[in-house]
C-alpha cells in the first residue's frame, strides 16, 4: 500500500493533540491552519483545565467530575464519552505537566487546583490566568519537534474549503486555499480531522477569536454531514464590552473569590466603593447559597439577564453587573489571576484590584457542532481502538474539540473545554490510525481525476466570488446579520422572534448574492475567503435558529420562558429519583409526594421523553432539516438540576 | 471629542512592490481600538480622497493580547493593535508594518523566522511518550513563577523589532528565542539537552550578536524579563566555554 497520511485541519488544542499523538504512533500528518498554530483561539482560554486529582483531599473523584459534567449539561451529553473523558482527566493534566506547562504550584510543589463553576471541589489546574495559552504552547512545541523530525508537515496560512469525497462518499482528501498566493489545490489524506473550533463569529462580537467562523464544519454540513445540537450556544456570564470583540473575564475570577453584585437601588449613581455593604445585592450568593458565585454559566447568565432586564438593577441602568475582587490582596490576585487583570486594566483603564469590574454576558462557546460517533464498552467507557470514535457521518472525515457536539450537552462546565479538546485529540488517534490502515484504497491510489475536479470546482466558485459586484459590503452585511442573532437567539428565546429571525436570515442570504467583492486582487487577499465564510455563517445561523425554534423546552443554555416547567423552590432532585424508582417498580405511591412536586415530576418526565434527545440538522433543499436522536443516558439517571 | 479620526497607513500591495502611504478618515466612535477602526475601514473601504480602495490587510486573531498576531508599528512604536486604544493615541495615527520582517501585504508581515528560531534552540521538552507515566516532577513555587513569566512569550515580534541588532540581513536569533532557551534550560527534564541549546547560542546569530541595547525588554508587551534571560544565557554560555577549555 502507498504511503499514507492524515490531514488535520486546525492547530488549536484538539488539532495539535491529535497531530502529536498520531506522530508518536508513527503516522505522517499534514497540519493545515489558517494562521501560525501558536496563535490559535485556544490561547484565549484562561481559567484552567478540570481533572479530579483530589490534591486537596476533598474526596473528589473522576466519577464526581463525570456527574458534575452531565448534570451541568442538563443530561444532554453522551455519557460514555463524558465518563471516559473524566477518568482520563488526571492523566491528561499530569501529561501536560510533564510536557512543560507552567502550572501553579502548592507550597509543597504539587500542582495547585482552584474552584470553578458547577462543582463544589477544587478541580481546576491552572497556569496563572492564561492556561489555554500555556497548554497550547506545550503542544505546539511537541508538534514543532515532530516537524523537525519530518513526521509533521505544516501548511500555515492555508484554509480548508471542503472534503474530497470518492464515489462511495468516503473522504480521501481536502481542498485547500493558500491565503497568500490565492491558489486553490487539493491535498490527499487517508483521513481528515476537522479541529476547527467554534462559530462565535456568527454572533459578530463574542469572546471568540477572528478565525472562529465555523466555516469548516459548515462546509462539512453542506457536503452532507450531520450537525448536532446547534441551538446550544453558551453565553458566558462575564465579559468586558468592546467594539471589536467582547473580551472574556474568566470564571476563575469567581473561583478565586470574586463576588458578583449590583446596587440594591435601581439607578444608584454612586461609585461602587461608596455603596455600603448592606446596600449591595449579592444576588447569586443570595439565590444560590450552595454554589453562590460559582453556579454554572447558563444559570449565571440567566440571573444577570433577570437582574438587569426584569429587575432593572443593572449598573448605570445597563446590562452590566459588578464583579468584585477588591477584598482580595494584590499579591494573591497577581499570582493567580495576573494575566486577566492586566487585560482588564489595559482595555478599560481601570485597575480591577482597586475598583470592581463591570462585566456582562457574551456569546462564548458552542456545545453543538458536527455530529460524531463513538464505540462504548460494556462498562460504559470508550473503546479507544474503534475507528468510529469522533468520525462524522461522512466516512473518513473526523471532528474534534469545539467542532464536535457530544461532550457538553446543553451547557458546558467551565474548564471542561480544554479537557475535552486535548482528550478528543488524544483519544481518537489510535482509532483513526486503525481506520487508515484498513481503508479499501489509499488516498494516493485514488484516480487523480477526482482531485483535479474538486480543485476545479472550488477554483470556479472563487472566480465567481471575485466577480461579485453588487452593492452590499460583506463586512457590513456580517455586522447586520450578527445584530439579528444577538438580539433574538441569545439568553432568552421566544418563538415569535425566532421565526422572524429565520425569515430575516433568508433575506440576508438573498442579499449575500448582491455582495461586492471589495478586493479582487490575487495576492494575500482575505475578501473572497470572507465572502465564502459569510455564506457559511448564514447557513450555520439557520441551523442554530431553526433548532432553537423547534425545541419547545427549557434545557441548559436554551431557555424559553414559555416552556419553563417552573421547578418548585422547595423541590429536591432526590424525590425524582424515588419517583422514577417507584415508577420502574410498577406503582407510584402518589400520596407519598407533595402534590405540587408530583405534578412537576410528571411534567419533567414527559418533557424528557419528548426532548431529551440530540438535535440533528441535515442540509436539504437549501436549509437544515431537523430531526432528533436518542442520547446514551444509561450511566447517570436524568433528573432535575438544582444549585441552591 | 473630535467626530473623525485620521489614519495614515503605510501600504504595500505585494512582497516585491514598493510601499505608499494612504490616508483614511473615519467617524470617531468612543472606545475604539486600532483594530475596530481597521474593521470600520473594511466595512467602508474609502480613502480620504473619496476613492474606493481595497480594504487594508492586517493580521489579528484573539484581540486580547494573548495570540501575538496583530503586532504593528503604531505612531512609531511597535505594539499590538488590539490593545492600542484610539483615545489614548496622538492623532493622526500612523500605522506601519514591522520593519524587521518581509512584508506580505500592507501591515501583514512574515514572522516565520521567529518560529524557525524556536526550532534552532530546540524549545521543547523531550518526552518518553504521551501515555500515562504518572505525575511530573514537583517544583517549588518560586521556580514556577519565573518559568510562567518566560512562558507567556507569544512570539509577537516586538522585542526583535525594537532590537538594533536584529535585521532583515542577518541571522540573529533574537531575544524571544534566547529567553525560551532559558525557560527550557531550567525545566527539570528539558534541561537534559541544555548543552545542545548552548552550542546553538554560541554560534553565529547567537548570544554574541546581542548588543545589550536593552530595547527588547522595554518593548515586550508581557513585561518578560528579556535582559535577565539574555544575561542568564550569557552566564550559561560562559560556563560552558570554561568547561570546554578545561575538558580540552
Amino acid at each position: 500500500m502507498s504511503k499514507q497520511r492524515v490531514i488535520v485541519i486546525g492547530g488549536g488544542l484538539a488539532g495539535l493533540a491529535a497531530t502529536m499523538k498520531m506522530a508518536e504512533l508513527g503516522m505522517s500528518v499534514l497540519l493545515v491552519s489558517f494562521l501560525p498554530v501558536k496563535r490559535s483561539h485556544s490561547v484565549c482560554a484562561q481559567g484552567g483545565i478540570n481533572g479530579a486529582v483530589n490534591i486537596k483531599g476533598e474526596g473528589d473523584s473522576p466519577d464526581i467530575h463525570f456527574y458534575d459534567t452531565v448534570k451541568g449539561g442538563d443530561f444532554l451529553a453522551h455519557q460514555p464519552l463524558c465518563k471516559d473523558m473524566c477518568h482520563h482527566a488526571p492523566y491528561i493534566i499530569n501529561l501536560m505537566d510533564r510536557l512543560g506547562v507552567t502550572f501553579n504550584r502548592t507550597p509543597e510543589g504539587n500542582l495547585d487546583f482552584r474552584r470553578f463553576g458547577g462543582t463544589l471541589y477544587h478541580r481546576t489546574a491552572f497556569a496563572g490566568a492564561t492556561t489555554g495559552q500555556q497548554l497550547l504552547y506545550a503542544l505546539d512545541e511537541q508538534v514543532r519537534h515532530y516537524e523537525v523530525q519530518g513526521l509533521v508537515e505544516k501548511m500555515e496560512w492555508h484554509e480548508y474549503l471542503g472534503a474530497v469525497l470518492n464515489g462511495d462518499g468516503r473522504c480521501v482528501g481536502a481542498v485547500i486555499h493558500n491565503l497568500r498566493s490565492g491558489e486553490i489545490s487539493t491535498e490527499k489524506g487517508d483521513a481528515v480531522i476537522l479541529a476547527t473550533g467554534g462559530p462565535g463569529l456568527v454572533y459578530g462580537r463574542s469572546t471568540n477569536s477572528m478565525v472562529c467562523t465555523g466555516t469548516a464544519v459548515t462546509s462539512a454540513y453542506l457536503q452532507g454531514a450531520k450537525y448536532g445540537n446547534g441551538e446550544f450556544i453558551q453565553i458566558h456570564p462575564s465579559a468586558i464590552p468592546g467594539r471589536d470583540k467582547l473580551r472574556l473575564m474568566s470564571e476563575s475570577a469567581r473561583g478565586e473569590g470574586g463576588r458578583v453584585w449590583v446596587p440594591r437601588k435601581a439607578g444608584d449613581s454612586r461609585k461602587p466603593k461608596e455603596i455600603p455593604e448592606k446596600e449591595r445585592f449579592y444576588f447569586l450568593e443570595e439565590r444560590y447559597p450552595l454554589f453562590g458565585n460559582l453556579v454554572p454559566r447558563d444559570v449565571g447568565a440567566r440571573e444577570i439577564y433577570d437582574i438587569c432586564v426584569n429587575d432593572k438593577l443593572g449598573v448605570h441602568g445597563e446590562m452590566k453587573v459588578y464583579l468584585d475582587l477588591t477584598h482580595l490582596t494584590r499579591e494573591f490576585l497577581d499570582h493567580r489571576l495576573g494575566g486577566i487583570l492586566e487585560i482588564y486594566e489595559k482595555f478599560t483603564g481601570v485597575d480591577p484590584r482597586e475598583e470592581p469590574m463591570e462585566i456582562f454576558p457574551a456569546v462564548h462557546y458552542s456545545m453543538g457542532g458536527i455530529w460524531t460517533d463513538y464505540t462504548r464498552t460494556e462498562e460504559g467507557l470508550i473503546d479507544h481502538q474503534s475507528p468510529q470514535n469522533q468520525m462524522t457521518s461522512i466516512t473518513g472525515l473526523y471532528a474534534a474539540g469545539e467542532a464536535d457536539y457530544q461532550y457538553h450537552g446543553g451547557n458546558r462546565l467551565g474548564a471542561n473545554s480544554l479537557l475535552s479538546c486535548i482528550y478528543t485529540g488524544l483519544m481518537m488517534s489510535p482509532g483513526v490510525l486503525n481506520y487508515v490502515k484498513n481503508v479499501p484504497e489509499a488516498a494516493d491510489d485514488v484516480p487523480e481525476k477526482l482531485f483535479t475536479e474538486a480543485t476545479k470546482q472550488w477554483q470556479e466558485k472563487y472566480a465567481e466570488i471575485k466577480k461579485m459586484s453588487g452593492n452590499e459590503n460583506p463586512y457590513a452585511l456580517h455586522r447586520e446579520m450578527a445584530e439579528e442573532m444577538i438580539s433574538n437567539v441569545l439568553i432568552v428565546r421566544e418563538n415569535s422572534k425566532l421565526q422572524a429571525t429565520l425569515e430575516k436570515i433568508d433575506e440576508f442570504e438573498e442579499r449575500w448574492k448582491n455582495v461586492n467583492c471589495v478586493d479582487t486582487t490575487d495576492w494575500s487577499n482575505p475578501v473572497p475567503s470572507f465572502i465564502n465564510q459569510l455564506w457559511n455563517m448564514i447557513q450555520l445561523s439557520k441551523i442554530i435558529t431553526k433548532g432553537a425554534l423547534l425545541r419547545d423546552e427549557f434545557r441548559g443554555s436554551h431557555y424559553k420562558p414559555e416552556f419553563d416547567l417552573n421547578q418548585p423552590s422547595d423541590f429536591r432532585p432526590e424525590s425524582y429519583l424515588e419517583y422514577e424508582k417507584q415508577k420502574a417498580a410498577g406503582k407510584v405511591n402518589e400520596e407519598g409526594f407533595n402534590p405540587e412536586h408530583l405534578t412537576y415530576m410528571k411534567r419533567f418526565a414527559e418533557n424528557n421523553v419528548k426532548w431529551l434527545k440530540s438535535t440533528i440538522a441535515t442540509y436539504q433543499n437549501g436549509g437544515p432539516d431537523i430531526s432528533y436522536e436518542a442520547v446514551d443516558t444509561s450511566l447517570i439517571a436524568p433528573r432535575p438540576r438544582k444549585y441552591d | 471629542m473630535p467626530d473623525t479620526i485620521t489614519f495614515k497607513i503605510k501600504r504595500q500591495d505585494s512582497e516585491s512592490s514598493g510601499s505608499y502611504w494612504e490616508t483614511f478618515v473615519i467617524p470617531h466612535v468612543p472606545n475604539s481600538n486600532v483594530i475596530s477602526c481597521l474593521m470600520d475601514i473594511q466595512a467602508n473601504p474609502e480613502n480620504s480622497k473619496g476613492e474606493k480602495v481595497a480594504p487594508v490587510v492586517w493580521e489579528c486573531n484573539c484581540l486580547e493580547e494573548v495570540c501575538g498576531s496583530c503586532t504593528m508599528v503604531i505612531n512609531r512604536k511597535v505594539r499590538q493593535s488590539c490593545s492600542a486604544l484610539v483615545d489614548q493615541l496622538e492623532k493622526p495615527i500612523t500605522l506601519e508594518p514591522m520593519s524587521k520582517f518581509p512584508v506580505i501585504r500592507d501591515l501583514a508581515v512574515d514572522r516565520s523566522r521567529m518560529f524557525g528560531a524556536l526550532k534552532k534552540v530546540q524549545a521543547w521538552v523531550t518526552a518518553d511518550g504521551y501515555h500515562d507515566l504518572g505525575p511530573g516532577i514537583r517544583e517549588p513555587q518560586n521556580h514556577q513563577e519565573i518559568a510562567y513569566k518566560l512562558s507567556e512569550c507569544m512570539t509577537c515580534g516586538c522585542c526583535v523589532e525594537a532590537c538594533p541588532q536584529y535585521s532583515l540581513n542577518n541571522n540573529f536569533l533574537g531575544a524571544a528565542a534566547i529567553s525560551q532557551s532559558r525557560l527550557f534550560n531550567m525545566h527539570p527534564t528539558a534541561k537534559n539537552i541544555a548543552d545542545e541549546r548552548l552550542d546553538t547560542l554560541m554560534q553565529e546569530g547567537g548570544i554574541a550578536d546581542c548588543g545589550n541595547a536593552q530595547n527588547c525588554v522595554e518593548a515586550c508587551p508581557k513585561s518578560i524579563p528579556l535582559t535577565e534571560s539574555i544575561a542568564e544565557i550569557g552566564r550559561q554560555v560562559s560556563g560552558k566555554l570554561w568547561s570546554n577549555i578545561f575538558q580540552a
Side-chain angles (χ1 to χ4, degrees):
Chain A
M1 193 170 255
S2 314
K3 186 162 164 51
Q4 293 185 293
R5 69 170 177 180
V6 175
I7 303 177
V8 175
I9 313 291
L13 285 177
L16 292 179
T19 300
M20 157 185 119
K21 185 69 193 172
M22 289 189 294
E24 184 196 23
L25 298 172
M27 178 55 65
S28 292
V29 181
L30 174 66
L31 177 57
V32 180
S33 171
F34 209 86
L35 71 184
V37 295
K38 194 174 180 177
R39 311 203 190 285
S40 301
H41 175 60
S42 301
V43 295
C44 287
Q46 300 171 342
I49 175 167
N50 285 337
V53 176
N54 192 33
I55 213 84
K56 309 274 180 189
E58 298 165 321
D60 195 13
S61 73
D63 279 326
I64 303 176
H65 182 192
F66 170 41
Y67 172 75
D68 285 340
T69 298
V70 169
K71 177 190 172 190
D74 218 345
F75 296 87
L76 200 57
H78 292 251
Q79 295 190 1
L81 287 166
C82 290
K83 185 176 178 184
D84 202 70
M85 172 177 82
C86 294
H87 279 259
H88 280 84
Y91 138 71
I92 286 173
I93 290 173
N94 285 334
L95 171 63
M96 296 312 295
D97 178 30
R98 286 173 43 221
L99 297 183
V101 173
T102 55
F103 285 118
N104 279 51
R105 301 280 164 169
T106 65
E108 198 181 327
N110 291 307
L111 301 181
D112 201 0
F113 285 75
R114 64 174 155 218
R115 291 238 359 240
F116 239 73
T119 183
L120 296 170
Y121 296 89
H122 288 78
R123 188 186 290 148
T124 308
F126 59 102
T130 60
T131 314
Q133 182 194 44
Q134 297 305 311
L135 293 169
L136 184 88
Y137 288 3
L139 297 183
D140 173 58
E141 289 148 10
Q142 293 301 309
V143 168
R144 187 169 292 110
H145 192 187
Y146 282 115
E147 202 187 352
V148 170
Q149 293 166 27
L151 263 171
V152 172
E153 185 194 343
K154 273 187 197 158
M155 287 174 83
E156 290 169 331
W157 303 114
H158 285 76
E159 176 184 28
Y160 169 86
L161 295 179
V164 182
L165 306 180
N166 75 1
D168 305 329
R170 195 165 62 80
C171 177
V172 291
V175 186
I176 305 292
H177 180 210
N178 182 325
L179 296 168
R180 285 185 178 163
S181 70
E183 189 190 347
I184 290 171
S185 59
T186 43
E187 291 291 337
K188 295 172 185 176
D190 293 284
V192 175
I193 299 174
L194 300 180
T196 47
L201 254 71
V202 168
Y203 288 84
R205 291 178 306 157
S206 70
T207 64
N208 286 192
S209 296
M210 300 310 291
V211 293
C212 301
T213 60
T215 273
V217 292
T218 308
S219 168
Y221 154 80
L222 294 172
Q223 284 188 287
K226 299 195 282 185
Y227 194 97
N229 289 344
E231 65 270 33
F232 290 94
I233 298 288
Q234 177 161 81
I235 315 299
H236 197 291
S238 56
I240 315 165
R243 272 199 68 217
D244 51 342
K245 101 170 261 196
L246 310 173
R247 294 174 181 86
L248 178 65
M249 175 45 60
S250 171
E251 195 166 291
S252 58
R254 283 171 283 141
E256 297 290 5
R259 303 177 74 191
V260 174
W261 62 277
V262 289
R264 285 198 185 270
K265 195 174 77 189
D268 198 325
S269 59
R270 287 174 293 179
K271 291 193 170 133
K273 293 196 101 172
E274 290 165 3
I275 299 175
E277 197 64 20
K278 64 177 193 312
E279 292 175 42
R280 299 176 177 191
F281 185 13
Y282 295 95
F283 54 99
L284 290 175
E285 295 172 30
E286 283 191 27
R287 292 177 181 177
Y288 300 90
L290 188 58
F291 281 74
N293 294 293
L294 288 172
V295 288
R297 290 173 180 170
D298 58 334
V299 178
R302 266 193 300 281
E303 290 296 344
I304 292 173
Y305 182 93
D306 184 57
I307 213 89
C308 295
V309 176
N310 300 331
D311 298 341
K312 307 214 171 354
L313 290 176
V315 172
H316 315 310
E318 295 168 30
M319 182 79 159
K320 277 196 253 176
V321 298
Y322 289 123
L323 171 52
D324 199 339
L325 294 167
T326 57
H327 55 290
L328 301 165
T329 67
R330 196 166 256 278
E331 191 196 0
F332 175 84
L333 291 173
D334 285 341
H335 181 52
R336 299 174 74 99
L337 299 170
I340 52 170
L341 302 185
E342 282 163 24
I343 293 287
Y344 187 87
E345 197 170 359
K346 266 192 188 171
F347 285 96
T348 65
V350 176
D351 182 355
R353 302 164 197 88
E354 299 294 332
E355 294 287 326
M357 295 184 277
E358 294 180 11
I359 52 106
F360 85 127
V363 169
H364 182 54
Y365 188 89
S366 173
M367 277 69 73
I370 207 82
W371 181 94
T372 45
D373 201 1
Y374 63 93
T375 304
R376 67 167 277 181
T377 63
E378 287 280 314
E379 305 81 56
L381 292 164
I382 299 300
D383 171 6
H384 287 210
Q385 297 301 320
S386 168
Q388 290 309 114
N389 297 334
Q390 302 297 131
M391 195 192 280
T392 69
S393 55
I394 293 176
T395 307
L397 182 65
Y398 289 83
E402 192 176 344
D404 73 30
Y405 90 114
Q406 308 136 299
Y407 292 86
H408 308 295
N411 169 63
R412 176 174 65 76
L413 288 193
N416 262 358
S417 58
L418 297 182
L419 173 62
S420 64
C421 285
I422 299 175
Y423 166 78
T424 48
L426 295 176
M427 180 275 280
M428 73 193 296
S429 293
V432 172
L433 298 199
N434 282 337
Y435 166 79
V436 166
K437 271 180 219 151
N438 294 304
V439 288
E441 182 184 34
D444 232 11
D445 302 329
V446 171
E448 204 56 37
K449 191 160 170 270
L450 195 73
F451 297 98
T452 48
E453 274 173 8
T455 303
K456 194 164 155 253
Q457 186 203 334
W458 277 96
Q459 284 171 341
E460 284 170 3
K461 191 164 174 177
Y462 266 64
E464 287 300 312
I465 288 176
K466 274 196 184 169
K467 280 189 216 143
M468 294 177 86
S469 56
N471 49 23
E472 297 273 3
N473 176 292
Y475 298 96
L477 186 61
H478 175 230
R479 285 184 183 187
E480 240 186 277
M481 183 193 95
E483 280 307 317
E484 196 67 24
M485 291 299 286
I486 290 269
S487 305
N488 301 312
V489 199
L490 208 67
I491 302 175
V492 177
R493 298 167 172 188
E494 290 169 34
N495 280 344
S496 57
K497 286 186 179 174
L498 294 169
Q499 182 62 51
T501 302
L502 266 185
E503 286 157 24
K504 200 83 188 171
I505 295 170
D506 286 338
E507 286 173 32
F508 289 126
E509 190 177 277
E510 276 310 298
R511 285 173 60 188
W512 180 91
K513 294 171 186 161
N514 193 29
V515 145
N516 190 319
C517 187
V518 289
D519 184 351
T520 55
T521 57
D522 291 329
W523 177 255
S524 194
N525 174 7
V527 178
S529 277
F530 185 77
I531 292 174
N532 181 51
Q533 289 161 14
L534 181 60
W535 174 263
N536 283 7
M537 285 192 272
I538 290 170
Q539 305 313 314
L540 189 46
S541 68
K542 286 190 201 179
I543 299 176
I544 297 169
T545 309
K546 192 168 176 190
L549 174 66
L550 296 183
R551 185 178 277 275
D552 278 336
E553 68 154 350
F554 162 30
R555 183 179 305 279
S557 66
H558 175 69
Y559 176 50
K560 277 188 180 174
E562 200 186 335
F563 299 95
D564 188 352
L565 300 175
N566 295 312
Q567 187 182 100
S569 58
D570 60 346
F571 180 77
R572 304 306 309 172
E574 297 76 38
S575 311
Y576 184 75
L577 297 181
E578 176 59 28
Y579 168 77
E580 283 288 304
K581 200 171 109 192
Q582 293 185 15
K583 212 160 67 175
K587 188 175 175 1
V588 176
N589 174 23
E590 298 209 341
E591 282 73 46
F593 295 100
N594 168 326
E596 195 198 348
H597 292 186
L598 187 66
T599 313
Y600 167 71
M601 290 190 292
K602 283 181 179 170
R603 291 178 65 205
F604 181 85
E606 265 171 44
N607 184 71
N608 270 356
V609 170
K610 185 158 186 206
W611 291 115
L612 184 43
K613 289 175 183 160
S614 304
T615 308
I616 303 296
T618 41
Y619 185 60
Q620 260 162 33
N621 306 321
D625 180 64
I626 303 286
S627 58
Y628 298 92
E629 264 182 25
V631 184
D632 186 340
T633 58
S634 61
L635 306 174
I636 299 175
R639 67 202 68 173
R641 290 164 87 204
K642 200 169 168 70
Y643 288 98
D644 53 1
Chain B
M1 199 68 89
D3 49 5
T4 60
I5 313 171
T6 301
F7 278 90
K8 292 190 164 178
I9 302 179
K10 192 176 183 184
R11 305 196 64 173
Q12 185 171 327
D13 296 342
S14 73
E15 292 168 302
S16 51
S17 59
S19 62
Y20 59 97
W21 289 88
E22 191 151 64
T23 304
F24 294 86
V25 180
I26 61 168
H28 174 263
V29 184
N31 303 318
S32 292
N33 57 7
V34 166
I35 292 206
S36 67
C37 292
L38 288 170
M39 288 173 167
D40 288 342
I41 292 173
Q42 266 183 337
N44 182 25
E46 205 177 279
N47 67 17
S48 61
K49 297 178 199 151
E51 296 160 345
K52 290 276 179 205
V53 295
V56 178
V57 174
W58 83 103
E59 283 178 54
C60 67
N61 195 33
C62 79
L63 311 192
E64 53 193 61
E65 218 188 61
V66 283
C67 81
S69 295
C70 68
T71 315
M72 58 182 74
V73 179
I74 301 169
N75 288 352
R76 306 264 159 208
K77 187 175 177 298
V78 65
R79 58 187 296 186
Q80 274 73 54
S81 46
C82 63
S83 53
L85 307 184
V86 159
D87 294 341
Q88 296 172 2
L89 293 170
E90 227 175 89
K91 316 291 181 312
I93 298 169
T94 61
L95 306 182
E96 297 168 74
M98 282 190 279
S99 64
K100 301 293 175 74
F101 301 100
V103 172
I104 300 293
R105 186 173 171 186
D106 292 344
L107 302 169
V109 297
D110 183 352
R111 280 171 279 184
S112 45
R113 175 174 166 189
M114 290 193 79
F115 295 108
L118 295 177
K119 289 180 186 164
K120 286 186 186 158
V121 300
Q122 303 185 65
W124 49 70
V125 172
T126 311
D128 286 345
Y130 307 128
H131 50 295
D132 191 353
L133 285 170
I137 295 166
R138 287 185 190 185
E139 265 188 81
Q141 285 180 328
N142 55 5
H143 189 270
Q144 182 271 339
E145 279 162 28
I146 296 167
Y148 175 69
K149 198 66 223 164
L150 302 179
S151 187
E152 280 190 295
C153 172
M154 51 191 183
T155 325
C156 68
C158 285
C159 58
V160 294
E161 175 70 15
C163 172
Q165 301 301 113
Y166 197 92
S167 86
L168 278 167
N169 309 315
N170 68 7
N171 56 5
F172 183 34
L173 290 164
I178 294 172
S179 187
Q180 288 295 298
S181 308
R182 176 190 177 201
L183 171 65
F184 286 93
N185 278 4
M186 69 185 277
H187 185 272
T189 55
K191 69 180 173 196
N192 58 2
I193 52 165
D195 266 3
E196 293 177 33
R197 291 191 192 97
L198 295 179
D199 282 339
T200 304
L201 289 158
M202 284 155 73
Q203 289 164 11
E204 197 205 328
I207 188 89
D209 283 22
C210 169
N212 203 25
Q214 311 205 3
N215 292 2
C216 52
V217 72
E218 293 293 320
C220 177
K222 295 288 137 183
S223 311
I224 297 169
L226 294 167
T227 43
E228 279 176 33
S229 292
I230 292 169
E232 172 58 28
I233 288 294
R235 268 192 296 276
Q236 292 180 17
V237 163
S238 312
K240 189 171 156 54
L241 274 173
W242 279 109
S243 74
N244 286 358
I245 290 167
F246 285 116
Q247 275 166 14

